[in-house]
RNA sequence: GGGCGAGUGGCGGAACUGGCAUACGCACAGGACUUAAAAUCCUGGGCCCGCAAGGGAUUGAGGGUUCGAUUCCCUCCUCGCCCACCA
């Protein structure tokens, strides 16, 4: 037998595929098409990492399958070639990024090709090539014309190590995403894309996408929409340019509890600049908090709130009351209006601040509970009786126990509660109830937190719907003196003292359970929605209804606020696409005319970062004449964020060599949107959000006719090192795919990566396990070239059925698993099939059929091997020209089935029976089964559960 | 602090809609071939008791629903990822 020489075979077939152009996608309209895309790599000097080919292999298997199903597939590859590492390397080594990038691309292209992926290389693109970035610049100009690209002075994130500004998305934990240096806040005039115009659509359209739910959730959080209101608080005591404070709140229902206003240091600074005569203490505080780097500011403030009173007073438009204004760094300048109304009774941060500075706390929202289960369930159709009530928490200080009652006719455990009579003082009412129900005479009021909750339930004794407002009162028992309890009360419930640590489990009624919050935390405040209190005509309304009603009365604007900010795209770096803008002393900001594109990146540049764009130092680049008035002018020297390049690359693949326009719209219509996109989850809120934004803008500009670029998306999970840690050079646990391909071959490598586990899971690499898939391929080789053939007899009917069962079963499993991207179990099914084939000896005619099937099923996973064997067996044509195998559903039904026999749910035996027997027959067989019968001696069978052709369970007493 | 996800042999993992837990692979042990080793092939156990036949336990822990739970419900523990003073 010829040996399985992976090197020879793989080189041979890769060359054939390339020469025959078999993976070149044809632009035919109205064909059944599929656009399958991998996230294009950054051409790093490290070359490919074993993580990259995981996603590439998955899409390759799927593409090869689709082509055999007759689908025209677009499966391109390219290079996200601009970016900082190449430039940083240039600074260190003095080698130009263009050169190193080109070398890196050549290396990675070689690596990718060595794995035999079926890319259409005729469509290869490179974002750092002028043919490409010309259109990135053109897009910038279209955005500019539409008012979606603008230049503004704004506080921005500055990375002192990378010497450039960063987008919000590139700042993680206040640190530069790339180099982990803490970022600084600077005020700079920079270019932005107005992504916030699309915030709402970017949020809503997520629902339509077949993406991992966690990833969609990350985008939702990033966009961060909050429904709320903007309210104006007029300044009442001083006069300067600012006459009112605008605040944003999501809790307009709490406005009657707003006892002060807090503004951010950023806003305070603006006011000072606008002429506010702030005292020195304020100026120092504002200065200090803005100077302190963001990270420290947050860490300090979370521990303890700081702030100063401004002396300014405003009118609360709801209460008409005059309230003070404070400045504090717990209010962010970058969110909402940079100012809040503080409601200490219903917000933990405001509460902490109010406690520290002794500001008034006013409760205005009370929790609402509706019983929904059991006999107590509130009956919405029936009339409701409203009652004022007390909930009395009586503590015995001697042993830290609490006075409780346990109802005798229901399972109901709680504190002493009772109704308050008309005109009765609540403390008096509470004492009366304690005395009536328990007999204790001497209790002392400890505190009245002026807290109440509303409970809606059906009163089982009184037989009516109740809406009770329980007010809490805390007492201590002074002494044990008590009167006898009246007989009627006694018959209803039992009086108990429950120890503090048992209380939580004991209490069963809602007002009791809720008390736990106060006992556990004396500073407990209620932050949820509920029923309004102390809120004029809105008292008694529910939060949701009160918000629009209050808004109407005080003329507040209901709006949605987003966390998403506009995308800052300027970078003070060299290796990127120059922003096509010219600054003229006469005409100001002038866009470069489209005919002058591309604005070429000059070669004669000193890369050393100075905080200024390196392009500033290129005289040939900087000095231009104004396109409008021809006067001397200068070019914008910043380049664009590289995420701009990758926001539209999937469109260029449809028409990559067009020199007249960005793309031919007809070709976009043929291929787009992308049907299936695979890549890492790290792009959740950057690339994937930006690409969606670009698509929506291009749709509004009329260039594309769809709203979402990537219909279906899956993330490949991380491949960890053999030690279970993330692979990294410093840990020394990096696996180089080249070595694996050299030693075991590309087919083995591909198969191993798919066999490791589910695509989306993180999983550790284990080199010794590779041998398993290599053995499998060798078995396929052996089975195809040197099968055991039975020349003497035909296959018996039984064996014939068994064979077609295996063929159908395997075809079905492999097909289903490819479509659902569960490659690990597809490979396991192929292994089982091969193990079976090794055990049987078949006549030549069957042997040929089964080998053909096996090779076709294996082809998407191990294409080199399958092509080679197909050729060696002298089968007609090429394997990739064959249609994908179909299976026979009838063959999946077997004559004989294995039925599990259980006694009381425990497996006691197996029955091999003809399929489709009725229950009675199966029971008969089961009872006779030796390992089963011994359990039945002297027992009655109570019940029998029969799952046809699968399982029988005999339930005995 | 909030959100999402996960927990199954020594290891990676499998199990449709509640129906034989541990498929497939690695590793391991015994055997065959070999002067020997590697490779290959065959066989085997998987935690506990037993020479064995066999029995019992078992899907992070505890509880519930069910004839039957890795799967559904409740409580808790651990790990991973993301977000985090966002009003």
């Amino acid at each position: 037998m010829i040996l399985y020489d992976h090197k020879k075979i793989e080189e041979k077939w890769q060359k054939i595929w390339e020469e025959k152009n078999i993976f070149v996608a044809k632009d035919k309209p109205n064909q059944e098409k599929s656009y399958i895309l991998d996230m294009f790599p950054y051409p790093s000097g490290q070359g490919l990492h074993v993580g990259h080919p995981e996603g590439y292999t998955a899409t390759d298997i799927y593409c090869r399958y689709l082509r055999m199903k007759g689908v025209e597939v677009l499966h391109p590859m390219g290079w996200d070639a601009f970016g900082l590492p190449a430039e940083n390397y240039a600074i260190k080594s003095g080698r130009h990024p263009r050169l190193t990038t080109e070398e890196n691309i050549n290396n990675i292209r070689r690596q990718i090709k060595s794995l035999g992926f079926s890319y259409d290389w005729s469509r290869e693109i490179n974002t750092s090539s002028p043919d490409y970035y010309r259109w990135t610049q053109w897009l910038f100009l279209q955005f500019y014309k539409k008012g979606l690209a603008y230049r503004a002075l704004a506080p921005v994130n500055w990375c002192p190590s990378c010497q450039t500004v960063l987008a919000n998305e590139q700042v993680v934990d206040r640190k530069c995403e790339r180099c982990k240096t803490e970022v600084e806040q600077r005020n700079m005039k920079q270019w932005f894309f107005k992504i916030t115009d699309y915030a709402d659509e970017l949020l809503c359209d997520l629902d339509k996408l077949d993406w991992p739910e966690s990833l969609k959730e990350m985008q939702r959080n990033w966009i961060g929409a909050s429904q709320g209101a903007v309210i104006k608080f007029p300044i009442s005591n001083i006069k300067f340019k600012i006459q009112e404070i605008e605040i944003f709140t999501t809790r307009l229902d709490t406005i009657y509890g707003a006892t002060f206003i807090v503004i951010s240091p950023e806003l305070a600074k603006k006011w000072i600049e606008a002429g506010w005569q702030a005292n020195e203490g304020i100026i120092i505080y504002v200065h200090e908090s803005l100077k302190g780097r963001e990270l420290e500011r947050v860490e300090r403030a979370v521990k303890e709130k700081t702030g100063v009173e401004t002396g300014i007073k405003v009118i609360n438009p709801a209460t008409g009351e005059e309230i003070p204004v404070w400045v504090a760094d717990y209010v962010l300048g970058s969110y909402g209006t940079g100012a809040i109304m503080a409601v200490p009774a219903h917000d933990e941060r405001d509460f902490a601040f109010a406690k520290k500075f002794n500001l008034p706390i006013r409760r205005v929202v009370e929790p609402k509970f509706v019983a929904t289960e059991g006999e107590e369930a509130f009956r919405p159709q029936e009339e409701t009786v409203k009652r004022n009530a007390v909930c009395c928490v009586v503590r015995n200080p001697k042993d830290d126990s609490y006075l409780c009652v346990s109802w005798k006719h229901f399972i109901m455990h709680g504190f002493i509660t009772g109704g308050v009579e008309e005109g009765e003082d609540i403390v008096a009412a509470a004492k009366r109830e304690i005395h009536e129900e328990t007999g204790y005479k001497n209790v002392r009021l400890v505190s009245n937190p002026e807290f109440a909750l509303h409970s809606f339930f059906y009163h089982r004794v009184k037989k009516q719907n109740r809406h009770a407002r329980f007010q809490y009162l805390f007492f201590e028992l002074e002494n044990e003196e008590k009167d006898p309890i009246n007989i009627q009360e006694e018959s209803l419930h039992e009086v108990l003292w429950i120890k503090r640590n048992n209380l939580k489990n004991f209490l069963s009624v809602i007002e009791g359970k809720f008390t736990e919050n106060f006992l556990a935390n004396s500073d407990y405040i209620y932050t949820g929605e509920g029923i309004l209190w102390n809120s004029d005509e809105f008292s008694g309304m529910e939060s949701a209804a009160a918000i629009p009603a209050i808004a109407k009365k005080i003329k507040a604007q209901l709006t949605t606020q987003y966390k998403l900010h506009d995308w800052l795209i300027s970078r003070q770096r060299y290796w990127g696409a120059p922003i096509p803008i010219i600054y003229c002393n006469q005409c100001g900001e002038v866009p470069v005319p489209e005919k002058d594109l591309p604005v070429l990146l000059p070669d004669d540049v000193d890369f050393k970062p100075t905080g200024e764009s390196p392009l500033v130092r290129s005289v040939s680049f900087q000095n231009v004449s104004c396109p409008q008035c021809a006067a001397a002018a200068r070019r914008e020297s910043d380049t664009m964020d590289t995420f701009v390049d990758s926001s539209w690359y999937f469109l260029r693949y449809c028409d990559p060599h067009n020199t007249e326009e960005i793309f031919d719209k007809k070709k976009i219509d043929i291929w787009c949107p992308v049907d299936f996109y695979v890549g890492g989850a790290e792009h959740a809120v950057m690339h994937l959000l930006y690409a969606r934004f670009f698509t929506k803008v291009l749709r509004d500009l009329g260039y594309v006719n769809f709203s979402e670029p990537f219909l279906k998306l899956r993330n490949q999970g991380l491949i960890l090192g053999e030690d279970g840690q993330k692979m990294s050079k410093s840990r020394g646990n990096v696996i180089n795919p080249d070595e694996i391909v050299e030693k075991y071959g590309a087919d083995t490598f591909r198969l191993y990566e798919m066999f490791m586990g589910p695509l989306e899971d993180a999983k550790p690499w284990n080199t010794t396990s590779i041998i398993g898939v290599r053995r499998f391929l060798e078995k396929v080789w052996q089975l195809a070239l040197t099968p055991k053939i039975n020349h003497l007899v035909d296959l018996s009917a039984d064996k014939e059925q068994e064979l077609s069962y295996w063929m159908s079963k395997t075809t079905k499993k492999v097909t289903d698993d490819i479509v659902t991207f569960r490659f690990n179990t597809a490979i396991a099914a192929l292994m089982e099939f091969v193990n079976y084939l090794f055990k049987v000896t078949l006549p030549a005619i069957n042997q040929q059929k089964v080998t053909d099937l096996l090779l076709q099923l294996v082809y998407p996973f191990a294409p080199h091997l399958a092509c080679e064997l197909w050729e060696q067996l002298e089968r007609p044509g090429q394997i990739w020209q064959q249609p994908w195998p179909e299976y026979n559903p009838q063959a999946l039904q077997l004559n004989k089935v294995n039925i599990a026999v259980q006694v009381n749910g425990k497996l006691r035996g197996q029955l091999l029976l003809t399929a489709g027997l009725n229950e009675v027959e199966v029971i008969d067989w089961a009872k006779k089964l030796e390992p089963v019968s011994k359990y039945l001696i002297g027992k009655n069978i109570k019940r029998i559960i029969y799952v046809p052709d699968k399982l029988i369970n005999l339930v005995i007493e």
Side-chain angles (χ1 to χ4, degrees):
Chain A
M1 184 180 68
I2 313 154
L3 278 176
Y4 170 36
D5 178 351
H6 63 259
K7 244 187 252 177
K8 218 171 98 191
I9 294 171
E10 288 170 1
E11 269 168 35
K12 168 182 163 186
W13 287 98
Q14 283 163 18
K15 209 169 137 214
I16 293 174
W17 296 334
E18 187 145 0
E19 280 167 0
K20 294 189 184 241
N21 282 330
I22 62 168
F23 304 125
V24 171
K26 294 173 199 73
D27 301 321
K28 287 177 295 190
N30 305 321
Q31 60 193 348
E32 196 190 340
K33 69 92 188 179
S34 203
Y35 185 176
I36 313 296
L37 184 63
D38 290 304
M39 288 185 186
F40 66 163
Y42 174 76
S44 140
Q46 319 288 320
L48 275 195
H49 178 272
V50 287
H52 287 112
E54 190 192 7
Y56 302 162
T57 305
T59 51
D60 191 63
I61 292 167
Y62 189 53
C63 288
R64 287 179 187 264
Y65 159 80
L66 285 177
R67 292 192 192 98
M68 284 173 88
K69 291 289 274 184
V71 177
E72 190 64 30
V73 172
L74 173 59
H75 189 42
M77 183 41 78
W79 316 105
D80 188 14
F82 272 138
L84 264 181
E87 190 172 344
N88 288 340
Y89 183 71
I91 294 161
K92 257 202 316 207
S93 68
R95 303 196 59 221
H96 197 282
R98 177 167 290 115
L99 296 173
T100 53
T101 301
E102 196 187 311
E103 283 171 16
N104 294 347
I105 287 175
N106 288 338
N107 181 43
I108 294 184
R109 190 194 295 108
R110 172 195 62 77
Q111 289 186 300
I112 291 179
K113 287 193 172 181
S114 79
L115 288 163
F117 296 131
S118 59
Y119 292 117
D120 177 355
W121 288 103
S122 73
R123 295 173 187 257
E124 180 178 347
I125 57 174
N126 173 341
T127 59
S128 71
S129 133
D131 313 337
Y132 184 91
Y133 71 69
R134 170 184 180 181
W135 300 109
T136 307
Q137 291 170 336
W138 180 86
L139 280 168
F140 176 93
L141 295 175
Q142 310 314 307
F143 278 50
Y144 183 78
K145 272 195 269 182
K146 256 269 179 173
L148 292 167
Y150 66 93
R151 191 163 175 254
L153 182 69
V156 296
N157 302 300
W158 173 264
C159 174
S161 158
C162 297
Q163 292 277 308
T164 181
V165 297
L166 300 170
N168 284 339
E169 290 79 4
Q170 286 155 348
V171 180
V172 177
D173 277 344
R174 323 260 163 191
K175 290 178 185 143
C176 170
E177 187 236 350
R178 193 165 282 285
C179 69
K180 314 293 177 211
T181 307
E182 212 168 281
V183 299
E184 296 168 4
Q185 300 291 303
R186 287 195 179 180
N187 267 319
M188 291 175 73
K189 207 165 183 189
Q190 299 284 303
W191 284 96
F192 291 88
F193 280 164
K194 216 169 176 184
I195 192 169
T196 52
D197 272 12
Y198 288 84
D200 189 47
E201 203 193 338
L202 287 167
L203 183 70
C204 296
D205 284 358
L206 281 173
D207 296 337
K208 300 185 216 162
L209 299 175
D210 180 3
W211 287 19
E213 202 47 49
S214 62
L215 203 144
K216 291 203 264 186
E217 201 52 35
M218 276 161 78
Q219 288 215 353
R220 284 189 195 107
N221 290 339
W222 190 261
I223 296 165
S226 299
Q227 309 292 326
V230 171
I231 312 158
K232 291 177 175 135
F233 284 66
I235 293 174
S236 56
N237 65 337
I238 64 164
K239 276 204 157 52
F240 71 112
K241 214 166 128 194
I242 312 289
Q243 290 176 16
E244 57 194 13
I245 305 177
E246 261 194 349
I247 66 100
F248 173 75
T249 181
T250 56
R251 293 297 304 278
L252 186 56
D253 56 316
T254 64
I255 192 167
Y256 282 83
T259 50
F260 56 101
I261 292 286
V262 187
I263 66 169
S264 58
E266 287 86 348
L267 187 60
K269 190 178 169 212
K270 270 190 209 157
W271 286 9
I272 293 167
E273 283 160 6
W276 172 34
Q277 301 291 314
N279 70 38
E280 204 181 335
I282 298 166
I283 292 172
I284 291 170
Y285 181 79
V286 169
H287 183 75
E288 286 292 312
S289 41
L290 290 181
K291 188 186 76 181
R293 286 184 294 190
E294 276 283 303
L295 189 62
E296 287 170 25
R297 178 175 153 186
V298 170
E299 278 170 1
R300 195 182 57 226
V302 168
K303 271 186 236 138
E304 190 165 13
K305 297 275 184 282
T306 62
V308 284
E309 189 164 5
T310 62
I312 298 174
K313 305 264 194 240
V314 295
I315 304 293
N316 179 333
T319 60
E321 183 183 24
E322 192 171 65
I323 59 174
V325 178
W326 287 64
V327 51
D329 63 5
Y330 82 91
V331 174
L332 302 176
S334 56
Y335 182 77
T337 60
I340 61 153
M341 67 177 197
V343 185
H346 302 289
D347 181 281
E348 274 161 26
R349 295 151 301 181
D350 298 344
F351 180 75
F353 193 81
K355 283 273 273 197
K356 174 154 180 189
F357 294 104
N358 213 9
L359 293 158
I361 298 164
R362 191 183 303 148
R363 290 209 163 94
V364 294
V365 177
E366 296 171 343
K368 174 193 173 181
F369 296 95
V370 181
T372 53
E373 276 175 22
E375 268 191 84
E376 263 203 313
F378 188 73
R379 306 179 181 185
Q381 314 84 336
E382 290 179 31
E383 209 184 323
T384 303
V385 177
K386 207 173 156 180
R387 295 291 299 271
N388 277 320
V390 281
C391 175
C392 318
V393 183
V394 183
R395 178 171 173 266
N396 186 343
K398 274 192 199 145
D399 60 353
D400 196 25
S401 60
Y402 289 81
L403 187 57
C404 295
V405 291
S406 169
W407 270 259
K408 286 184 175 160
H409 307 293
F410 322 102
I411 301 164
M412 208 159 101
H413 302 152
F415 291 115
I416 316 300
T417 55
V420 180
E421 305 296 329
E422 192 73 35
E424 188 182 23
D425 172 72
I426 65 159
V427 177
K431 286 186 171 172
R432 175 178 54 70
E433 286 290 345
I434 294 165
H435 183 247
E436 279 174 17
E437 292 194 13
T438 69
Y440 287 104
K441 286 160 72 174
N442 300 307
V443 292
R444 179 170 54 88
L445 180 70
V446 179
S447 74
N448 173 1
E450 291 183 19
F451 187 95
L453 72 75
H454 297 254
S455 183
F456 291 74
F457 60 97
Y458 186 78
H459 200 299
R460 287 183 279 194
V461 181
K462 307 262 162 73
K463 302 236 182 291
Q464 61 188 200
N465 260 339
R466 278 290 174 85
H467 165 191
R469 178 174 182 268
F470 287 104
Q471 292 192 74
Y472 280 86
L473 290 172
F474 290 78
F475 295 92
E476 258 184 22
L477 186 69
E478 289 186 302
N479 58 46
E480 310 271 343
E481 250 180 74
K482 60 199 259 193
D483 290 329
I485 311 164
N486 107 21
I487 295 170
Q488 202 197 334
E489 289 282 350
E490 186 144 30
S491 69
L492 284 175
H493 33 61
E494 189 183 351
V495 177
L496 298 162
W497 285 96
I498 304 293
K499 288 264 164 53
R500 172 67 186 92
N501 31 3
N502 298 332
L503 209 50
K504 200 175 172 183
N505 293 327
F506 175 79
L507 294 166
S508 69
V509 293
I510 191 65
E511 65 277 7
K513 281 189 187 169
F514 202 79
T515 314
E516 189 64 23
N517 297 322
F518 293 101
L519 296 176
N521 173 14
S522 57
D523 275 350
Y524 174 78
I525 56 163
Y526 178 68
T527 55
E529 300 201 328
I531 294 177
L532 272 64
W533 189 251
N534 276 337
S535 301
D536 289 350
E537 68 264 41
F538 308 106
S539 297
M541 280 175 93
E542 299 212 16
S543 294
I547 288 172
I550 296 175
K552 196 172 168 200
K553 181 184 170 190
I554 65 167
K555 299 191 176 67
Q557 185 74 40
L558 293 179
T559 57
T560 303
Q561 193 61 237
Y562 298 94
K563 286 193 225 171
L564 183 71
H565 285 61
D566 278 340
W567 175 13
L568 167 51
I569 59 145
S570 306
R571 295 292 178 276
Q572 289 71 47
R573 298 301 302 233
Y574 165 72
W575 191 231
I579 295 173
I581 289 287
I582 289 167
Y583 301 106
C584 167
N585 285 336
Q586 260 73 52
C587 316
E589 193 177 277
V590 183
V592 172
E594 286 178 22
K595 66 172 173 49
D596 294 345
L597 295 181
V599 177
L600 283 172
L601 200 54
D603 267 339
D604 59 329
V605 170
D606 174 14
F607 315 117
K608 250 181 228 110
T610 58
E612 199 176 43
S613 208
L615 292 180
V616 173
R617 280 164 281 151
S618 168
V619 178
S620 62
F621 179 82
Q622 273 278 297
N623 299 333
V624 282
S625 50
C626 171
Q628 276 174 22
C629 70
R634 73 176 176 86
R635 279 192 197 282
E636 167 64 64
S637 55
D638 287 351
T639 53
M640 283 186 252
D641 181 359
T642 54
F643 279 107
V644 178
D645 311 328
S646 55
S647 293
W648 68 280
Y649 78 108
F650 55 95
L651 297 169
R652 184 67 177 175
Y653 279 137
C654 298
D655 194 9
H657 308 298
N658 198 328
T659 53
E660 302 307 308
E661 51 186 344
I662 182 166
F663 44 70
D664 179 351
K665 194 167 175 290
K666 288 201 282 294
K667 292 189 177 173
I668 295 289
D669 291 342
I670 291 172
W671 295 111
C672 282
V674 173
D675 295 281
F676 206 153
Y677 197 23
V678 174
E682 66 274 15
H683 292 294
V685 291
M686 293 195 274
H687 164 60
L688 290 172
L689 190 65
Y690 298 148
R692 295 181 62 220
F693 163 56
F694 261 57
T695 302
K696 290 174 192 302
V697 173
L698 285 168
R699 175 203 60 198
D700 289 347
L701 293 170
Y703 291 100
V704 304
N705 58 10
F706 51 93
S707 297
E708 284 292 338
F710 316 122
L711 301 178
K712 183 169 178 173
L713 181 141
R714 292 292 178 268
N715 297 124
Q716 83 258 22
L718 273 187
I719 293 186
L720 308 169
E722 300 206 75
D723 52 1
Q725 303 272 32
K726 205 167 164 175
M727 276 191 199
S728 77
K729 234 165 107 186
S730 57
R731 284 199 190 89
N733 60 355
V734 176
I735 302 288
N736 181 349
D738 286 344
E739 287 169 25
I740 307 295
V741 171
E742 167 76 21
K743 191 163 171 200
Y744 298 96
D747 283 336
T748 301
F749 179 84
R750 294 164 54 115
L751 214 58
Y752 174 64
E753 289 221 343
M754 293 301 98
F755 188 59
M756 285 169 77
L759 184 70
E760 308 207 27
D761 288 6
K763 39 209 174 285
W765 180 273
N766 184 333
T767 300
T768 51
S769 290
I770 296 175
I771 194 69
V773 287
R774 168 75 194 202
R775 280 180 194 145
F776 163 72
L777 291 180
E778 280 168 1
K779 282 185 187 174
V780 174
W781 183 266
Q782 196 186 329
L783 214 49
L785 298 181
T786 50
K788 290 178 283 177
I789 289 177
N790 178 353
H791 296 285
L792 300 175
V793 289
D794 288 344
L795 219 46
S796 71
D798 264 12
K799 290 282 166 199
E800 180 92 46
Q801 199 201 23
E802 191 183 55
L803 177 65
S804 67
Y805 167 75
W806 269 99
M807 290 170 75
S808 287
K809 183 176 104 158
T810 309
T811 307
K812 180 180 189 325
K813 179 74 180 153
V814 172
T815 308
D816 291 351
D817 283 353
I818 288 177
V819 173
T820 51
F821 264 46
R822 286 157 28 178
F823 304 112
N824 54 331
T825 49
I827 295 166
L830 286 166
M831 286 174 168
E832 286 180 75
F833 189 38
V834 164
N835 291 344
Y836 159 75
L837 292 176
F838 256 76
K839 288 197 186 105
V840 292
T841 309
L842 300 171
I845 173 108
N846 301 84
Q847 185 62 48
Q848 176 170 343
K849 260 206 243 162
V850 88
T851 306
D852 286 3
L853 174 68
L854 178 65
L855 294 182
Q856 288 175 58
L857 294 178
V858 163
Y859 166 75
F861 299 87
H864 309 88
L865 176 105
C867 287
E868 177 67 20
L869 290 173
W870 192 264
E871 186 184 81
Q872 289 203 22
L873 292 173
E874 298 175 354
R875 297 292 194 260
Q878 297 288 1
I879 194 165
W880 62 78
Q881 295 161 336
Q882 310 307 311
W884 183 253
E886 301 284 335
Y887 64 91
N888 175 8
Q890 272 157 17
L892 295 171
Q893 303 295 322
L894 285 177
N895 278 345
K896 296 258 175 195
V897 288
N898 225 336
I899 296 174
V901 183
Q902 295 182 333
V903 177
N904 280 353
K906 289 201 184 219
L907 184 69
R908 296 299 178 190
Q910 299 279 345
L911 285 171
L912 186 65
L913 295 175
T914 312
L917 287 186
N918 68 39
E919 190 172 342
V920 181
E921 289 170 284
V922 177
I923 292 168
D924 213 41
W925 282 107
K927 284 184 187 164
K928 278 189 236 156
L929 201 61
E930 194 268 325
V932 173
S933 56
K934 70 180 180 196
Y935 290 94
L936 304 177
I937 297 163
K939 306 275 175 158
N940 285 330
I941 296 178
K942 277 203 305 194
R943 204 174 150 187
I944 293 169
I945 283 94
Y946 178 54
V947 184
D949 290 350
K950 258 190 177 165
L951 174 142
I952 184 154
N953 186 11
L954 308 174
V955 185
I956 59 175
E957 55 197 16

